[in-house]
Every structure is written in C-alpha cells, then in structure tokens.
Amino acid sequence: MNIALDDKKERLLKRLREQGIKDEDVLDVIAEIPREEFIAPFLRAQAYENAALPIESEQTISQPFVVAYMTQELRLEKTHKVLEIGTGSGYQAAILSKLCRRLFTVERHLPLYESATALFKKLRLYNITTLFGNGMRGWKEQQPFDRIMVTAAGEEIPDDLLYQLKDGGIMVIPVGAQDETQHIVRITRTGDDFDVKTLLPVKFVPLLSGIVHSSE
Ligand code: SAH
C-alpha cells in the first residue's frame, strides 16, 4: 500500500464514522480489505473515494458507505453461515467473510464469477465459496443461513430467499424498481413471520433471473 492510498483510506474511515457507521468491527474490516484489488487498474486512484465504481459486465461495486451500512445492519456474528446474492467484484463478499464463519456467494455473470473466485484465492479468503447461477433461488444445498445479503435491487423480495433464512435470521436487501426510489430493507424471520423494516434510500443495479455467459 502506498502512502497516498493510506491517507485516502484514513479519510474514508473518518467519513464513514461521520455518516453514522459505529460498528468498530465493520470499520476494521473496511480498513483491512484492499478495495483497489477489486477494481480495474485505471480506477485504482479512486479506490478509497466514497463512491460506487463501474466493474465488468456493466455492473458496479457499491459505495463504501453502502457496503459498511448494509454490513452493519446485518448484525453478523463470528459463528454465522452467510449467503450473499450478487458477487460482482467480490468486495462485499470479502468484507462479510471476515465477520462470519462461512460466506457463500452467487453471481449470474460468468466473467464476474470467474474473476471474483480467482481474487478470493489470491487474497487467501478461504472461507468464501462461490457459485455461478441465479441467486434469486438462493442456494438450496447450503441452506439454511443465519444471514442473507442481496446486493442487487429486487422489485420484490424473492420467497426462496426468505425461506432459506434460519428462524431468527436476518436478510438485508435493496428493494424497488429501477425507475423508482429503492430502499434498503431489513427482514427478520421469526417462525413463518417476517418483520420488515425499511431503512435507507439507495440506487442499485437490478436483481435479474437467468445467467449470462459472456461480458457482451
Ligand atoms: N456485491 C457486489 C455488488 C455488485 S453489483 C460488489 O461488492 O461488487 C450486483 C451484482 O448482482 C452484479 O454483479 C449482478 O450481476 C448480480 N446479480 C443480479 N441479479 C442476480 C441474480 N439473480 N443472481 C446472482 N447475481 C445477480
């Protein structure tokens, strides 16, 4: 890490605190994971700006504040088995993996799935397991999960995901159509009851079904 990048990281952490991120474990992990590894070389000078950035397949790596906020709202424990839908660059998965026991992540774009899988190996994030597929169906063989995070906006909350949560489990997901204001929503399962709490307004790429084999 060079000094310029270190300075920018310090500034970002200060900004996240100002924006209300209080969970010290989340802030420590943001400090630990090298965001520059998850973006294209020409964007690396912007790695610690509090902004979303473009990645392959016309997708985006979320703004650090949104990553920190959603992670904080998930209320992770070290013992948890967690599912993420929308691997993308792999950055959010890397953050989650440091705060739980095992992290499973699903991506529907093959090039993104492949590059994130290689990056997890390079960064020695051995508790992450990746899958190329449609995450709206969750991950049947690995369910149930203590926590689920979805990083693409669904017009509705997929039922399959709700029922792959453990009793007492929590899901954090952006909800809303592309042409309306989306909100991060936190859902807590108690038996077959799902308590839904609407949190921040956000802008996410869409949660789509089907799989895509190329970047065209
Ligand atoms: N967590 C990512 C954010 C990437 S953007 C990161 O930290 O970089 C959201 C991602 O969700 C995109 O890569 C998109 O292809 C993926 N996605 C959208 N719908 C999906 C689905 N049904 N199953 C799996 N991935 C999906």
PDB file of all heavy atoms in Angstrom, residues 105-138:
ATOM      1  N   THR A 105     -21.488 -17.153  -1.913  1.00  0.00           N
ATOM      2  CA  THR A 105     -21.900 -16.027  -2.756  1.00  0.00           C
ATOM      3  C   THR A 105     -22.219 -16.488  -4.175  1.00  0.00           C
ATOM      4  O   THR A 105     -21.522 -17.349  -4.721  1.00  0.00           O
ATOM      5  CB  THR A 105     -20.835 -14.891  -2.718  1.00  0.00           C
ATOM      6  OG1 THR A 105     -21.285 -13.809  -3.541  1.00  0.00           O
ATOM      7  CG2 THR A 105     -19.463 -15.339  -3.179  1.00  0.00           C
ATOM      8  N   VAL A 106     -23.303 -15.937  -4.735  1.00  0.00           N
ATOM      9  CA  VAL A 106     -23.814 -16.365  -6.047  1.00  0.00           C
ATOM     10  C   VAL A 106     -23.785 -15.193  -7.025  1.00  0.00           C
ATOM     11  O   VAL A 106     -24.196 -14.081  -6.680  1.00  0.00           O
ATOM     12  CB  VAL A 106     -25.287 -16.865  -5.927  1.00  0.00           C
ATOM     13  CG1 VAL A 106     -25.772 -17.448  -7.260  1.00  0.00           C
ATOM     14  CG2 VAL A 106     -25.448 -17.883  -4.803  1.00  0.00           C
ATOM     15  N   GLU A 107     -23.308 -15.453  -8.257  1.00  0.00           N
ATOM     16  CA  GLU A 107     -23.267 -14.412  -9.302  1.00  0.00           C
ATOM     17  C   GLU A 107     -23.823 -14.986 -10.611  1.00  0.00           C
ATOM     18  O   GLU A 107     -23.518 -16.107 -10.971  1.00  0.00           O
ATOM     19  CB  GLU A 107     -21.811 -13.939  -9.479  1.00  0.00           C
ATOM     20  CG  GLU A 107     -21.560 -13.002 -10.638  1.00  0.00           C
ATOM     21  CD  GLU A 107     -22.434 -11.737 -10.625  1.00  0.00           C
ATOM     22  OE1 GLU A 107     -22.445 -11.028  -9.611  1.00  0.00           O
ATOM     23  OE2 GLU A 107     -23.114 -11.492 -11.664  1.00  0.00           O
ATOM     24  N   ARG A 108     -24.622 -14.168 -11.341  1.00  0.00           N
ATOM     25  CA  ARG A 108     -25.236 -14.643 -12.593  1.00  0.00           C
ATOM     26  C   ARG A 108     -24.429 -14.303 -13.852  1.00  0.00           C
ATOM     27  O   ARG A 108     -24.763 -14.762 -14.925  1.00  0.00           O
ATOM     28  CB  ARG A 108     -26.658 -14.089 -12.721  1.00  0.00           C
ATOM     29  CG  ARG A 108     -26.734 -12.602 -12.935  1.00  0.00           C
ATOM     30  CD  ARG A 108     -28.175 -12.129 -12.934  1.00  0.00           C
ATOM     31  NE  ARG A 108     -28.873 -12.426 -14.176  1.00  0.00           N
ATOM     32  CZ  ARG A 108     -28.828 -11.681 -15.287  1.00  0.00           C
ATOM     33  NH1 ARG A 108     -28.096 -10.592 -15.315  1.00  0.00           N
ATOM     34  NH2 ARG A 108     -29.513 -12.027 -16.357  1.00  0.00           N
ATOM     35  N   HIS A 109     -23.373 -13.467 -13.718  1.00  0.00           N
ATOM     36  CA  HIS A 109     -22.488 -13.151 -14.852  1.00  0.00           C
ATOM     37  C   HIS A 109     -21.210 -13.978 -14.731  1.00  0.00           C
ATOM     38  O   HIS A 109     -20.434 -13.754 -13.791  1.00  0.00           O
ATOM     39  CB  HIS A 109     -22.118 -11.664 -14.853  1.00  0.00           C
ATOM     40  CG  HIS A 109     -23.097 -10.787 -15.567  1.00  0.00           C
ATOM     41  ND1 HIS A 109     -23.946  -9.934 -14.904  1.00  0.00           N
ATOM     42  CD2 HIS A 109     -23.373 -10.635 -16.894  1.00  0.00           C
ATOM     43  CE1 HIS A 109     -24.697  -9.293 -15.795  1.00  0.00           C
ATOM     44  NE2 HIS A 109     -24.377  -9.703 -16.998  1.00  0.00           N
ATOM     45  N   LEU A 110     -20.960 -14.858 -15.726  1.00  0.00           N
ATOM     46  CA  LEU A 110     -19.797 -15.744 -15.659  1.00  0.00           C
ATOM     47  C   LEU A 110     -18.456 -15.002 -15.496  1.00  0.00           C
ATOM     48  O   LEU A 110     -17.658 -15.392 -14.634  1.00  0.00           O
ATOM     49  CB  LEU A 110     -19.775 -16.662 -16.891  1.00  0.00           C
ATOM     50  CG  LEU A 110     -18.710 -17.748 -16.894  1.00  0.00           C
ATOM     51  CD1 LEU A 110     -18.876 -18.710 -15.714  1.00  0.00           C
ATOM     52  CD2 LEU A 110     -18.747 -18.535 -18.207  1.00  0.00           C
ATOM     53  N   PRO A 111     -18.174 -13.933 -16.278  1.00  0.00           N
ATOM     54  CA  PRO A 111     -16.859 -13.277 -16.118  1.00  0.00           C
ATOM     55  C   PRO A 111     -16.639 -12.735 -14.704  1.00  0.00           C
ATOM     56  O   PRO A 111     -15.519 -12.797 -14.180  1.00  0.00           O
ATOM     57  CB  PRO A 111     -16.895 -12.122 -17.130  1.00  0.00           C
ATOM     58  CG  PRO A 111     -17.964 -12.485 -18.101  1.00  0.00           C
ATOM     59  CD  PRO A 111     -18.974 -13.306 -17.353  1.00  0.00           C
ATOM     60  N   LEU A 112     -17.699 -12.223 -14.091  1.00  0.00           N
ATOM     61  CA  LEU A 112     -17.569 -11.696 -12.722  1.00  0.00           C
ATOM     62  C   LEU A 112     -17.343 -12.833 -11.728  1.00  0.00           C
ATOM     63  O   LEU A 112     -16.488 -12.744 -10.837  1.00  0.00           O
ATOM     64  CB  LEU A 112     -18.818 -10.896 -12.337  1.00  0.00           C
ATOM     65  CG  LEU A 112     -19.005  -9.555 -13.057  1.00  0.00           C
ATOM     66  CD1 LEU A 112     -20.379  -8.970 -12.750  1.00  0.00           C
ATOM     67  CD2 LEU A 112     -17.911  -8.570 -12.663  1.00  0.00           C
ATOM     68  N   TYR A 113     -18.111 -13.904 -11.902  1.00  0.00           N
ATOM     69  CA  TYR A 113     -17.951 -15.088 -11.041  1.00  0.00           C
ATOM     70  C   TYR A 113     -16.497 -15.577 -11.100  1.00  0.00           C
ATOM     71  O   TYR A 113     -15.886 -15.862 -10.066  1.00  0.00           O
ATOM     72  CB  TYR A 113     -18.924 -16.194 -11.498  1.00  0.00           C
ATOM     73  CG  TYR A 113     -18.502 -17.579 -11.118  1.00  0.00           C
ATOM     74  CD1 TYR A 113     -18.739 -18.082  -9.842  1.00  0.00           C
ATOM     75  CD2 TYR A 113     -17.830 -18.395 -12.033  1.00  0.00           C
ATOM     76  CE1 TYR A 113     -18.329 -19.363  -9.487  1.00  0.00           C
ATOM     77  CE2 TYR A 113     -17.422 -19.666 -11.693  1.00  0.00           C
ATOM     78  CZ  TYR A 113     -17.664 -20.150 -10.421  1.00  0.00           C
ATOM     79  OH  TYR A 113     -17.249 -21.397 -10.069  1.00  0.00           O
ATOM     80  N   GLU A 114     -15.946 -15.642 -12.341  1.00  0.00           N
ATOM     81  CA  GLU A 114     -14.587 -16.166 -12.513  1.00  0.00           C
ATOM     82  C   GLU A 114     -13.537 -15.240 -11.901  1.00  0.00           C
ATOM     83  O   GLU A 114     -12.629 -15.707 -11.210  1.00  0.00           O
ATOM     84  CB  GLU A 114     -14.290 -16.372 -14.012  1.00  0.00           C
ATOM     85  CG  GLU A 114     -15.029 -17.583 -14.546  1.00  0.00           C
ATOM     86  CD  GLU A 114     -14.880 -17.775 -16.048  1.00  0.00           C
ATOM     87  OE1 GLU A 114     -14.551 -16.795 -16.759  1.00  0.00           O
ATOM     88  OE2 GLU A 114     -15.112 -18.897 -16.512  1.00  0.00           O
ATOM     89  N   SER A 115     -13.670 -13.939 -12.131  1.00  0.00           N
ATOM     90  CA  SER A 115     -12.619 -13.061 -11.591  1.00  0.00           C
ATOM     91  C   SER A 115     -12.705 -12.965 -10.073  1.00  0.00           C
ATOM     92  O   SER A 115     -11.673 -12.951  -9.394  1.00  0.00           O
ATOM     93  CB  SER A 115     -12.585 -11.681 -12.272  1.00  0.00           C
ATOM     94  OG  SER A 115     -13.871 -11.161 -12.379  1.00  0.00           O
ATOM     95  N   ALA A 116     -13.925 -12.933  -9.518  1.00  0.00           N
ATOM     96  CA  ALA A 116     -14.039 -12.872  -8.052  1.00  0.00           C
ATOM     97  C   ALA A 116     -13.495 -14.162  -7.419  1.00  0.00           C
ATOM     98  O   ALA A 116     -12.771 -14.105  -6.420  1.00  0.00           O
ATOM     99  CB  ALA A 116     -15.488 -12.640  -7.641  1.00  0.00           C
ATOM    100  N   THR A 117     -13.800 -15.308  -8.023  1.00  0.00           N
ATOM    101  CA  THR A 117     -13.319 -16.584  -7.478  1.00  0.00           C
ATOM    102  C   THR A 117     -11.788 -16.599  -7.429  1.00  0.00           C
ATOM    103  O   THR A 117     -11.186 -17.009  -6.424  1.00  0.00           O
ATOM    104  CB  THR A 117     -13.856 -17.764  -8.323  1.00  0.00           C
ATOM    105  OG1 THR A 117     -15.281 -17.676  -8.356  1.00  0.00           O
ATOM    106  CG2 THR A 117     -13.458 -19.116  -7.738  1.00  0.00           C
ATOM    107  N   ALA A 118     -11.155 -16.107  -8.504  1.00  0.00           N
ATOM    108  CA  ALA A 118      -9.678 -16.062  -8.556  1.00  0.00           C
ATOM    109  C   ALA A 118      -9.128 -15.089  -7.504  1.00  0.00           C
ATOM    110  O   ALA A 118      -8.117 -15.377  -6.846  1.00  0.00           O
ATOM    111  CB  ALA A 118      -9.224 -15.648  -9.953  1.00  0.00           C
ATOM    112  N   LEU A 119      -9.808 -13.979  -7.343  1.00  0.00           N
ATOM    113  CA  LEU A 119      -9.347 -12.961  -6.387  1.00  0.00           C
ATOM    114  C   LEU A 119      -9.430 -13.466  -4.932  1.00  0.00           C
ATOM    115  O   LEU A 119      -8.523 -13.214  -4.126  1.00  0.00           O
ATOM    116  CB  LEU A 119     -10.193 -11.704  -6.578  1.00  0.00           C
ATOM    117  CG  LEU A 119      -9.700 -10.400  -5.968  1.00  0.00           C
ATOM    118  CD1 LEU A 119      -8.240 -10.115  -6.323  1.00  0.00           C
ATOM    119  CD2 LEU A 119     -10.578  -9.242  -6.459  1.00  0.00           C
ATOM    120  N   PHE A 120     -10.506 -14.194  -4.600  1.00  0.00           N
ATOM    121  CA  PHE A 120     -10.637 -14.738  -3.233  1.00  0.00           C
ATOM    122  C   PHE A 120      -9.459 -15.662  -2.925  1.00  0.00           C
ATOM    123  O   PHE A 120      -8.947 -15.677  -1.811  1.00  0.00           O
ATOM    124  CB  PHE A 120     -11.955 -15.487  -3.064  1.00  0.00           C
ATOM    125  CG  PHE A 120     -13.179 -14.616  -3.235  1.00  0.00           C
ATOM    126  CD1 PHE A 120     -14.354 -15.123  -3.794  1.00  0.00           C
ATOM    127  CD2 PHE A 120     -13.171 -13.288  -2.842  1.00  0.00           C
ATOM    128  CE1 PHE A 120     -15.480 -14.324  -3.961  1.00  0.00           C
ATOM    129  CE2 PHE A 120     -14.291 -12.473  -3.004  1.00  0.00           C
ATOM    130  CZ  PHE A 120     -15.443 -13.002  -3.560  1.00  0.00           C
ATOM    131  N   LYS A 121      -9.030 -16.420  -3.944  1.00  0.00           N
ATOM    132  CA  LYS A 121      -7.911 -17.333  -3.763  1.00  0.00           C
ATOM    133  C   LYS A 121      -6.621 -16.521  -3.557  1.00  0.00           C
ATOM    134  O   LYS A 121      -5.858 -16.785  -2.627  1.00  0.00           O
ATOM    135  CB  LYS A 121      -7.805 -18.215  -5.005  1.00  0.00           C
ATOM    136  CG  LYS A 121      -7.040 -19.472  -4.778  1.00  0.00           C
ATOM    137  CD  LYS A 121      -7.233 -20.454  -5.907  1.00  0.00           C
ATOM    138  CE  LYS A 121      -6.264 -21.596  -5.730  1.00  0.00           C
ATOM    139  NZ  LYS A 121      -6.062 -22.332  -6.974  1.00  0.00           N
ATOM    140  N   LYS A 122      -6.432 -15.523  -4.414  1.00  0.00           N
ATOM    141  CA  LYS A 122      -5.231 -14.672  -4.318  1.00  0.00           C
ATOM    142  C   LYS A 122      -5.140 -14.002  -2.945  1.00  0.00           C
ATOM    143  O   LYS A 122      -4.066 -13.913  -2.359  1.00  0.00           O
ATOM    144  CB  LYS A 122      -5.289 -13.604  -5.419  1.00  0.00           C
ATOM    145  CG  LYS A 122      -4.118 -12.659  -5.416  1.00  0.00           C
ATOM    146  CD  LYS A 122      -4.241 -11.593  -6.495  1.00  0.00           C
ATOM    147  CE  LYS A 122      -3.220 -10.497  -6.240  1.00  0.00           C
ATOM    148  NZ  LYS A 122      -3.523  -9.285  -7.009  1.00  0.00           N
ATOM    149  N   LEU A 123      -6.283 -13.551  -2.426  1.00  0.00           N
ATOM    150  CA  LEU A 123      -6.294 -12.847  -1.133  1.00  0.00           C
ATOM    151  C   LEU A 123      -6.418 -13.813   0.051  1.00  0.00           C
ATOM    152  O   LEU A 123      -6.554 -13.402   1.192  1.00  0.00           O
ATOM    153  CB  LEU A 123      -7.435 -11.816  -1.097  1.00  0.00           C
ATOM    154  CG  LEU A 123      -7.366 -10.682  -2.127  1.00  0.00           C
ATOM    155  CD1 LEU A 123      -8.595  -9.783  -2.050  1.00  0.00           C
ATOM    156  CD2 LEU A 123      -6.099  -9.836  -1.927  1.00  0.00           C
ATOM    157  N   ARG A 124      -6.383 -15.112  -0.250  1.00  0.00           N
ATOM    158  CA  ARG A 124      -6.461 -16.180   0.768  1.00  0.00           C
ATOM    159  C   ARG A 124      -7.722 -16.097   1.621  1.00  0.00           C
ATOM    160  O   ARG A 124      -7.692 -16.294   2.845  1.00  0.00           O
ATOM    161  CB  ARG A 124      -5.216 -16.148   1.679  1.00  0.00           C
ATOM    162  CG  ARG A 124      -3.946 -16.378   0.904  1.00  0.00           C
ATOM    163  CD  ARG A 124      -2.741 -16.035   1.752  1.00  0.00           C
ATOM    164  NE  ARG A 124      -1.512 -16.220   0.992  1.00  0.00           N
ATOM    165  CZ  ARG A 124      -0.776 -17.321   1.030  1.00  0.00           C
ATOM    166  NH1 ARG A 124      -1.100 -18.334   1.767  1.00  0.00           N
ATOM    167  NH2 ARG A 124       0.322 -17.403   0.294  1.00  0.00           N
ATOM    168  N   LEU A 125      -8.833 -15.787   0.971  1.00  0.00           N
ATOM    169  CA  LEU A 125     -10.119 -15.730   1.681  1.00  0.00           C
ATOM    170  C   LEU A 125     -10.776 -17.112   1.536  1.00  0.00           C
ATOM    171  O   LEU A 125     -11.683 -17.310   0.729  1.00  0.00           O
ATOM    172  CB  LEU A 125     -10.990 -14.601   1.113  1.00  0.00           C
ATOM    173  CG  LEU A 125     -10.361 -13.201   1.221  1.00  0.00           C
ATOM    174  CD1 LEU A 125     -11.165 -12.166   0.441  1.00  0.00           C
ATOM    175  CD2 LEU A 125     -10.235 -12.774   2.686  1.00  0.00           C
ATOM    176  N   TYR A 126     -10.246 -18.057   2.299  1.00  0.00           N
ATOM    177  CA  TYR A 126     -10.619 -19.466   2.093  1.00  0.00           C
ATOM    178  C   TYR A 126     -11.996 -19.842   2.625  1.00  0.00           C
ATOM    179  O   TYR A 126     -12.469 -20.939   2.376  1.00  0.00           O
ATOM    180  CB  TYR A 126      -9.554 -20.382   2.706  1.00  0.00           C
ATOM    181  CG  TYR A 126      -8.190 -20.212   2.071  1.00  0.00           C
ATOM    182  CD1 TYR A 126      -7.063 -19.956   2.859  1.00  0.00           C
ATOM    183  CD2 TYR A 126      -8.026 -20.294   0.684  1.00  0.00           C
ATOM    184  CE1 TYR A 126      -5.806 -19.799   2.279  1.00  0.00           C
ATOM    185  CE2 TYR A 126      -6.780 -20.134   0.097  1.00  0.00           C
ATOM    186  CZ  TYR A 126      -5.677 -19.890   0.902  1.00  0.00           C
ATOM    187  OH  TYR A 126      -4.443 -19.724   0.324  1.00  0.00           O
ATOM    188  N   ASN A 127     -12.641 -18.959   3.382  1.00  0.00           N
ATOM    189  CA  ASN A 127     -13.987 -19.314   3.879  1.00  0.00           C
ATOM    190  C   ASN A 127     -15.104 -18.824   2.947  1.00  0.00           C
ATOM    191  O   ASN A 127     -16.264 -18.844   3.304  1.00  0.00           O
ATOM    192  CB  ASN A 127     -14.208 -18.800   5.313  1.00  0.00           C
ATOM    193  CG  ASN A 127     -14.223 -17.283   5.407  1.00  0.00           C
ATOM    194  OD1 ASN A 127     -13.655 -16.599   4.564  1.00  0.00           O
ATOM    195  ND2 ASN A 127     -14.895 -16.757   6.423  1.00  0.00           N
ATOM    196  N   ILE A 128     -14.718 -18.409   1.719  1.00  0.00           N
ATOM    197  CA  ILE A 128     -15.729 -17.999   0.735  1.00  0.00           C
ATOM    198  C   ILE A 128     -15.913 -19.119  -0.296  1.00  0.00           C
ATOM    199  O   ILE A 128     -14.934 -19.647  -0.819  1.00  0.00           O
ATOM    200  CB  ILE A 128     -15.317 -16.706  -0.008  1.00  0.00           C
ATOM    201  CG1 ILE A 128     -15.061 -15.565   0.986  1.00  0.00           C
ATOM    202  CG2 ILE A 128     -16.384 -16.312  -1.039  1.00  0.00           C
ATOM    203  CD1 ILE A 128     -14.671 -14.236   0.347  1.00  0.00           C
ATOM    204  N   THR A 129     -17.173 -19.469  -0.574  1.00  0.00           N
ATOM    205  CA  THR A 129     -17.495 -20.453  -1.611  1.00  0.00           C
ATOM    206  C   THR A 129     -18.360 -19.758  -2.650  1.00  0.00           C
ATOM    207  O   THR A 129     -19.342 -19.096  -2.298  1.00  0.00           O
ATOM    208  CB  THR A 129     -18.245 -21.653  -1.000  1.00  0.00           C
ATOM    209  OG1 THR A 129     -17.509 -22.126   0.123  1.00  0.00           O
ATOM    210  CG2 THR A 129     -18.385 -22.793  -2.004  1.00  0.00           C
ATOM    211  N   THR A 130     -17.987 -19.884  -3.941  1.00  0.00           N
ATOM    212  CA  THR A 130     -18.688 -19.152  -4.998  1.00  0.00           C
ATOM    213  C   THR A 130     -19.543 -20.094  -5.845  1.00  0.00           C
ATOM    214  O   THR A 130     -19.252 -21.281  -5.975  1.00  0.00           O
ATOM    215  CB  THR A 130     -17.674 -18.422  -5.912  1.00  0.00           C
ATOM    216  OG1 THR A 130     -16.742 -19.389  -6.409  1.00  0.00           O
ATOM    217  CG2 THR A 130     -16.921 -17.342  -5.166  1.00  0.00           C
ATOM    218  N   LEU A 131     -20.591 -19.512  -6.439  1.00  0.00           N
ATOM    219  CA  LEU A 131     -21.468 -20.277  -7.332  1.00  0.00           C
ATOM    220  C   LEU A 131     -21.882 -19.386  -8.496  1.00  0.00           C
ATOM    221  O   LEU A 131     -22.232 -18.217  -8.300  1.00  0.00           O
ATOM    222  CB  LEU A 131     -22.717 -20.735  -6.558  1.00  0.00           C
ATOM    223  CG  LEU A 131     -23.789 -21.508  -7.327  1.00  0.00           C
ATOM    224  CD1 LEU A 131     -23.307 -22.913  -7.699  1.00  0.00           C
ATOM    225  CD2 LEU A 131     -25.080 -21.607  -6.499  1.00  0.00           C
ATOM    226  N   PHE A 132     -21.841 -19.950  -9.726  1.00  0.00           N
ATOM    227  CA  PHE A 132     -22.352 -19.260 -10.909  1.00  0.00           C
ATOM    228  C   PHE A 132     -23.794 -19.715 -11.094  1.00  0.00           C
ATOM    229  O   PHE A 132     -24.044 -20.898 -11.318  1.00  0.00           O
ATOM    230  CB  PHE A 132     -21.485 -19.640 -12.123  1.00  0.00           C
ATOM    231  CG  PHE A 132     -22.050 -19.198 -13.440  1.00  0.00           C
ATOM    232  CD1 PHE A 132     -22.435 -17.875 -13.658  1.00  0.00           C
ATOM    233  CD2 PHE A 132     -22.190 -20.106 -14.480  1.00  0.00           C
ATOM    234  CE1 PHE A 132     -22.951 -17.476 -14.885  1.00  0.00           C
ATOM    235  CE2 PHE A 132     -22.707 -19.711 -15.709  1.00  0.00           C
ATOM    236  CZ  PHE A 132     -23.090 -18.396 -15.910  1.00  0.00           C
ATOM    237  N   GLY A 133     -24.741 -18.808 -10.957  1.00  0.00           N
ATOM    238  CA  GLY A 133     -26.144 -19.197 -11.100  1.00  0.00           C
ATOM    239  C   GLY A 133     -27.074 -18.043 -10.787  1.00  0.00           C
ATOM    240  O   GLY A 133     -26.632 -16.920 -10.526  1.00  0.00           O
ATOM    241  N   ASN A 134     -28.372 -18.349 -10.807  1.00  0.00           N
ATOM    242  CA  ASN A 134     -29.386 -17.344 -10.472  1.00  0.00           C
ATOM    243  C   ASN A 134     -29.662 -17.355  -8.978  1.00  0.00           C
ATOM    244  O   ASN A 134     -30.325 -18.244  -8.460  1.00  0.00           O
ATOM    245  CB  ASN A 134     -30.667 -17.631 -11.262  1.00  0.00           C
ATOM    246  CG  ASN A 134     -31.826 -16.752 -10.810  1.00  0.00           C
ATOM    247  OD1 ASN A 134     -31.627 -15.750 -10.109  1.00  0.00           O
ATOM    248  ND2 ASN A 134     -33.023 -17.128 -11.204  1.00  0.00           N
ATOM    249  N   GLY A 135     -29.169 -16.324  -8.310  1.00  0.00           N
ATOM    250  CA  GLY A 135     -29.274 -16.268  -6.856  1.00  0.00           C
ATOM    251  C   GLY A 135     -30.672 -15.994  -6.328  1.00  0.00           C
ATOM    252  O   GLY A 135     -30.895 -16.086  -5.116  1.00  0.00           O
ATOM    253  N   MET A 136     -31.618 -15.656  -7.214  1.00  0.00           N
ATOM    254  CA  MET A 136     -32.987 -15.442  -6.723  1.00  0.00           C
ATOM    255  C   MET A 136     -33.541 -16.725  -6.103  1.00  0.00           C
ATOM    256  O   MET A 136     -34.469 -16.673  -5.298  1.00  0.00           O
ATOM    257  CB  MET A 136     -33.900 -14.976  -7.854  1.00  0.00           C
ATOM    258  CG  MET A 136     -33.716 -13.502  -8.144  1.00  0.00           C
ATOM    259  SD  MET A 136     -34.402 -13.022  -9.704  1.00  0.00           S
ATOM    260  CE  MET A 136     -35.983 -12.438  -9.177  1.00  0.00           C
ATOM    261  N   ARG A 137     -32.960 -17.837  -6.496  1.00  0.00           N
ATOM    262  CA  ARG A 137     -33.391 -19.123  -5.926  1.00  0.00           C
ATOM    263  C   ARG A 137     -32.605 -19.483  -4.668  1.00  0.00           C
ATOM    264  O   ARG A 137     -32.828 -20.538  -4.074  1.00  0.00           O
ATOM    265  CB  ARG A 137     -33.198 -20.240  -6.961  1.00  0.00           C
ATOM    266  CG  ARG A 137     -34.002 -20.003  -8.210  1.00  0.00           C
ATOM    267  CD  ARG A 137     -34.239 -21.319  -8.928  1.00  0.00           C
ATOM    268  NE  ARG A 137     -34.723 -21.064 -10.268  1.00  0.00           N
ATOM    269  CZ  ARG A 137     -34.028 -21.298 -11.379  1.00  0.00           C
ATOM    270  NH1 ARG A 137     -32.824 -21.842 -11.316  1.00  0.00           N
ATOM    271  NH2 ARG A 137     -34.532 -21.018 -12.554  1.00  0.00           N
ATOM    272  N   GLY A 138     -31.660 -18.642  -4.311  1.00  0.00           N
ATOM    273  CA  GLY A 138     -30.836 -18.928  -3.135  1.00  0.00           C
ATOM    274  C   GLY A 138     -29.847 -20.038  -3.426  1.00  0.00           C
ATOM    275  O   GLY A 138     -29.384 -20.185  -4.556  1.00  0.00           O
TER     276      GLY A 138
END
